Amino acid sequence: MGMPINEKGEIDGENLTLACRNATLNMMALLQERGFSREQAYVICSVAVDLRISNVVDVPNYVVSALLPETIFGGN
């Protein structure tokens, strides 16, 4: 998941672009923990990750989720 938090650690309220970026970076980090290179994680995210707005109730603190179907890895 990603929230609109900038490089200084401050919340940049109502910035969905930043929340999406952070969600994608978090997914890339998870993929890297699972053994993929940074480049592989980037490609996987670019073709298979679905970004969804998860929470707008706590405005201006939007939450964006990055979803990746495990079936792309050949599992059942």
Side-chain angles (χ1 to χ4, degrees):
M1 293 199 310
M3 290 186 63
I5 299 174
N6 63 26
E7 291 82 17
K8 297 177 185 176
E10 302 165 342
I11 293 179
D12 186 2
E14 298 185 16
N15 188 336
L16 280 174
T17 301
L18 183 56
C20 289
R21 178 183 182 275
N22 290 340
T24 303
L25 290 174
N26 287 337
M27 178 59 75
M28 287 177 61
L30 177 64
L31 288 167
Q32 288 175 282
E33 288 174 14
R34 305 274 169 105
F36 292 95
S37 70
R38 181 169 176 79
E39 292 79 14
Q40 289 170 324
Y42 182 86
V43 171
I44 291 168
C45 287
S46 70
V47 298
V49 166
D50 184 27
L51 297 174
R52 295 188 185 165
I53 299 170
S54 302
N55 183 1
V56 293
V57 176
D58 191 20
V59 174
N61 303 319
Y62 297 140
V63 176
V64 174
S65 295
L67 306 169
L68 178 63
E70 291 182 13
T71 55
I72 69 162
F73 299 110
N76 294 328

